[in-house]
Amino acid sequence: MFKRILWASVAAAFLSGLAVSSAAAETTLERIKRDGVVQVGFANEKPYSFKQPDGSLAGVDYELARAAFAKLGVPKVEGVAVKFSALIPGLKAGHFDAIAAGLFIRPSRCAEIAFAEPHIQIADAVTVRKGNPKNIHSYDDVLKNPDIKIGTQQGSASRKDFERLGIPESQLVSFQDFPEVFFALKSGRVDLTTSTIFAANETVAADGGTSVERAAPFTLPVFDGKPSINYLGFGFRPDDQDLVAQFNDALRSIKGTPEYDAILAKYAITAADIPSPDVKLADICKE
Amino acid sequence: MRDLLAWVPLLLEGLLQTLLLFVIVLALGFSLGIVIGLARLSRLRLVRYSASAFVELFRGVSLYVTLFWLYFAAPFLGLRLSVWQASVIGCALTHAAYSSEYIRAAVLSIPASQHEAAVALGMTSLQRLQYVVLPQALVALLPLMGNEFVMLLKGTSVVSLIGLADLTEQAHSVIVSTYQPVPVLLVVLLTYFVLAQALIRLMRRMEGRFGGWKLRAPGEST
């Protein structure tokens, strides 16, 4: 019996094949064109990229990525699920070749990865419990009342905004994933959450208006004279500049096609949510 | 409720992955655990110390951190593992470290007189291990390992944090889309509970079956 277990384990160890990565001579772009397959990292978040009951992916980022990669001659886009905070580490570790997860373009992230030009712009929305029991209408209200807790997602861009607003660490509560932040709000563990308008509407609708609502009115913060608008971008490894350039061209060329409009319409994204061509990645990346 | 039913196949797929991971990790981890456990009893100091270092390392580091290292940090050292490989290796190494301690204790529980008798019969050290020590040690282990196996079964859910589509991760996908955490988590809770109960019962049956043999073992009851 002992022998059999030992041999089985040796065989299994062999079969699981410790694939040691070799320094590939070809670029990511060449590889995905040759294979016809590209892997994208996603964080299971509506409406960007999420799983459907049959296990396949849907979402505005996933579908736009698929349309753009098809244009590049890469017909198949596979999703690799990771937690939100592992999107950038996963890309850098080579577990996937692009991020299609509604990632905001932020200067700190530009230093780590290469972004495509922004494909969606969206303002923040603040969600609170029904009836806004703590009467929250701005971040000044949060600063005035230390009892107010804000729920955030680990690795979230909003964290930096709160820091700039001077909101102390003691008022921030971190969660692994976006849905958990919302459940924390519903169960009273936190008093407000910020998210994009998309996600806020989505969750308020799913809740059926029974326990949460968007805080209205809410004065959004202004940084350096600019209202805080989030720009969504697809992420790539900094070495893959050729891929980024071609992806940008592909994304630009599908704009306005019926397929592109259909994808946006499916997720209730309007023309106002699409950044004008004057909005440049380089400016958003500037600190 | 109806829209939740649409997600049942995805949850079943996750369940299958959880069971598959459990069985592979159990086989690999337990076998490695036997080797490490025996190595800790070796007469060679180097072998003994290396085995101790292995055990202390993987007992001392959380499985979550081990998995993160294997999946996100190892590629920078030239080792790119798939999410499955990283999960299997991480869980198996951790499980081996824990189970090796039980194995060591079980081997030590075998009376010295049996070693002496086996030597007197002219058995080589490998034969002693194969025919005298391990058959009895493994039986003595059964009640102890039941606990450990249940911990392993539930513990595999940590792999969802690096994205392996096990039961926990798929449940998370369902929650993301349906915004109904309570019924989904209830299903997950019941599933793990039922699996753990089935495993406990299986282990008890094995104890009953092989434990009886132990009573007839020489040197214990005559």
Side-chain angles (χ1 to χ4, degrees):
Chain A
M1 172 174 170
F2 169 58
K3 252 190 197 160
R4 225 175 295 158
I5 293 176
L6 190 69
W7 281 119
S9 67
V10 169
F14 236 81
L15 287 175
S16 65
L18 307 174
V20 176
S21 72
S22 58
E26 66 181 344
T27 66
T28 305
L29 180 63
E30 286 161 359
R31 174 169 51 78
I32 62 174
K33 279 190 171 174
R34 177 170 54 83
D35 294 345
V37 182
V38 61
Q39 271 148 348
V40 297
F42 73 102
N44 231 334
E45 197 179 321
K46 271 184 164 179
Y48 312 118
S49 299
F50 55 94
K51 256 187 222 170
Q52 299 188 97
D54 64 356
S56 66
L57 281 189
V60 62
D61 268 43
Y62 171 70
E63 288 175 46
L64 285 179
R66 208 169 51 173
F69 277 117
K71 196 90 189 158
L72 284 183
V74 183
K76 208 166 164 213
V77 179
E78 291 175 351
V80 178
V82 287
K83 298 289 155 197
F84 183 81
S85 55
L87 283 167
I88 292 176
L91 176 72
K92 291 179 130 192
H95 292 302
F96 38 84
D97 302 310
I99 295 172
L103 196 61
F104 294 170
I105 302 170
R106 289 295 171 108
S108 57
R109 289 179 184 157
C110 295
E112 298 294 320
I113 59 171
F115 277 102
E117 290 294 330
H119 59 284
I120 288 176
Q121 60 183 16
I122 184 86
D124 271 342
V126 171
T127 313
V128 292
R129 256 188 313 286
K130 185 134 188 97
N132 200 348
K134 294 210 173 154
N135 209 15
I136 308 166
H137 294 288
S138 71
Y139 286 118
D140 284 338
D141 294 341
V142 176
L143 281 167
K144 273 183 237 148
N145 182 355
D147 286 343
I148 295 173
K149 300 267 188 235
I150 301 179
T152 70
Q153 190 179 359
Q154 267 168 31
S156 151
S158 57
R159 199 89 195 183
K160 186 111 193 227
D161 293 347
F162 297 137
E163 207 177 287
R164 293 176 75 176
L165 290 163
I167 294 171
E169 200 67 26
S170 58
Q171 284 183 264
L172 302 176
V173 186
S174 275
F175 297 90
Q176 268 280 347
D177 266 299
F178 185 67
E180 282 153 24
V181 183
F182 259 88
F183 303 138
L185 176 68
K186 279 174 89 165
S187 58
R189 231 168 253 286
V190 298
D191 303 298
L192 81 96
T193 72
T194 57
S195 62
T196 61
I197 294 174
F198 301 147
N201 288 345
E202 183 91 50
T203 34
V204 170
D207 175 59
T210 55
S211 56
V212 295
E213 66 183 28
R214 279 181 58 182
F218 192 93
T219 317
L220 285 169
V222 174
F223 295 113
D224 308 324
K226 284 181 289 189
S228 77
I229 294 273
N230 302 299
Y231 295 96
L232 269 54
F234 295 97
F236 298 88
R237 278 184 292 270
D239 290 345
D240 293 332
Q241 288 301 335
D242 52 343
L243 173 58
V244 179
Q246 289 204 20
F247 186 88
N248 277 331
D249 289 342
L251 203 56
R252 205 174 308 124
S253 73
I254 58 169
K255 254 186 201 173
T257 60
E259 187 196 4
Y260 177 85
D261 291 340
I263 294 171
L264 296 189
K266 194 168 155 190
Y267 299 102
I269 293 165
T270 64
D273 303 323
I274 305 301
S276 91
D278 304 335
V279 177
K280 289 287 173 217
L281 175 70
D283 298 324
I284 309 168
C285 280
K286 261 183 231 148
E287 195 73 62
Chain B
M1 204 59 212
R2 271 198 69 167
D3 52 328
L4 279 179
L5 287 178
W7 294 89
V8 169
L10 197 72
L11 287 176
L12 286 176
E13 229 172 84
L15 173 62
L16 197 70
Q17 300 272 301
T18 291
L19 289 175
L20 199 61
L21 182 68
F22 170 68
V23 170
I24 295 174
V25 168
L26 184 74
L28 280 175
F30 190 57
S31 318
L32 184 62
I34 292 175
V35 175
I36 304 284
L38 293 175
R40 289 203 66 178
L41 296 166
S42 168
R43 247 176 268 128
L44 301 169
R45 192 179 290 180
L46 183 70
V47 175
R48 212 163 55 224
Y49 284 2
S50 322
S52 298
F54 173 89
V55 172
E56 295 313 328
L57 176 66
F58 285 100
R59 273 203 312 191
V61 177
S62 84
L63 176 56
Y64 178 55
V65 174
T66 305
L67 289 173
F68 251 74
W69 265 90
L70 285 171
Y71 193 60
F72 291 112
F76 293 101
L77 307 172
L79 182 71
R80 176 155 311 133
L81 300 168
S82 72
V83 67
W84 253 97
Q85 291 167 335
S87 301
V88 165
I89 293 171
C91 291
L93 291 178
T94 306
H95 182 60
Y98 280 97
S99 50
S100 70
E101 281 296 278
Y102 291 105
I103 288 151
R104 190 172 71 109
V107 170
L108 286 175
S109 75
I110 294 165
S113 58
Q114 295 205 20
H115 287 273
E116 288 154 14
V119 172
L121 284 170
M123 286 185 173
T124 66
S125 59
L126 202 67
Q127 280 174 326
R128 286 205 299 275
L129 196 63
Q130 192 180 347
Y131 297 114
V132 180
V133 177
L134 277 182
Q136 298 184 77
L138 290 178
V139 169
L141 263 178
L142 281 174
L144 300 173
M145 291 315 289
N147 238 351
E148 198 55 35
F149 290 166
V150 171
M151 289 295 285
L152 171 66
L153 174 71
K154 294 182 296 179
T156 57
S157 59
V158 177
V159 301
S160 67
L161 292 170
I162 60 167
L164 191 124
D166 75 333
L167 178 62
T168 304
E169 171 64 17
Q170 297 292 32
H172 193 261
S173 301
V174 181
I175 293 170
V176 165
S177 277
T178 61
Y179 298 95
Q180 298 193 50
V182 178
V184 178
L185 290 176
L186 186 66
V187 168
V188 173
L189 179 150
L190 287 174
T191 310
Y192 279 111
F193 180 76
V194 168
L195 287 179
Q197 281 300 314
L199 188 62
I200 289 166
R201 264 149 218 260
L202 183 74
M203 292 301 288
R204 287 224 183 99
R205 281 183 70 167
M206 281 174 70
E207 271 171 51
R209 186 150 167 224
F210 297 110
W213 167 84
K214 196 181 155 205
L215 292 175
R216 295 193 301 275
E220 192 149 313
S221 63
T222 40

